[in-house]
Amino acid sequence: MVEPREIRMNCMATDIANSQTVQGQPIAIGEPRWVRVALISVTLLFLGIFLFLPLIVVFTEAFKKGVEVYFQSIREPDAVSAIQLTLIAAGIAVPLNLIFGVAAAWAIAEYITRPKTARKAQ
C-alpha cells in the first residue's frame, strides 16, 4: 500500500512573494501599470477593428433600404435555406466542440501541468 505524502511543487513566484515583504506587507508581483494599459488598449483596438467595425458595416448595409426590405429578403426561400443550414451546422459543431474541448482541457490539466510524481501518487 502506498502511503500519502506531501508533494511540494517548485513555484518561484510564490516563493518570492512569500519571502519578500515591505513593512510587513507582501510585495505584489505583476506588470507595471503602463504594460497593463498598453495590453488593454491593443485588445480593445483589435476588437474594434476586427469585430465591431465589420458588424457595424453589415448592419448598415442590411438596413440601408429600410427594415421592410430587410424582412422581405429574410423570408425568401434561399435565405431560409441558408439560415436552416447554419443552425444545423451550429447544432452539430457546438456539442462536438464541447466534448473535444473538455477532453483536451482534461488532458492538458492531467498530463502537462501536473508533475509525474503527483500523477503516480493517485
Side-chain angles (χ1 to χ4, degrees):
M1 183 163 118
V2 177
E3 293 187 25
R5 61 181 178 167
E6 182 181 345
I7 297 173
R8 177 162 166 73
M9 295 179 63
N10 186 8
C11 185
M12 187 182 301
T14 304
D15 292 341
I16 292 171
N18 290 338
S19 65
Q20 295 182 358
T21 60
V22 174
Q23 296 178 351
Q25 298 295 324
I27 296 174
I29 298 175
E31 294 84 13
R33 181 174 173 80
W34 70 269
V35 172
R36 291 189 307 248
V37 170
L39 290 173
I40 290 171
S41 300
V42 167
T43 302
L44 292 176
L45 181 68
F46 179 83
L47 284 174
I49 291 173
F50 291 103
L51 180 67
F52 298 127
L53 186 62
L55 279 174
I56 291 169
V57 170
V58 165
F59 281 109
T60 302
E61 291 295 321
F63 292 113
K64 186 184 282 187
K65 295 181 182 176
V67 176
E68 298 84 18
V69 175
Y70 175 75
F71 285 115
Q72 280 180 341
S73 65
I74 284 184
R75 289 188 207 116
E76 290 181 6
D78 289 340
V80 172
S81 293
I83 292 169
Q84 286 176 345
L85 180 61
T86 301
L87 292 175
I88 290 169
I92 293 169
V94 168
L96 288 175
N97 196 12
L98 175 73
I99 292 167
F100 289 113
V102 169
W106 175 81
I108 289 170
E110 183 68 22
Y111 294 104
I112 294 178
T113 59
R114 294 168 75 192
K116 289 182 182 180
T117 56
R119 285 196 305 263
K120 288 181 183 177
Q122 290 182 342

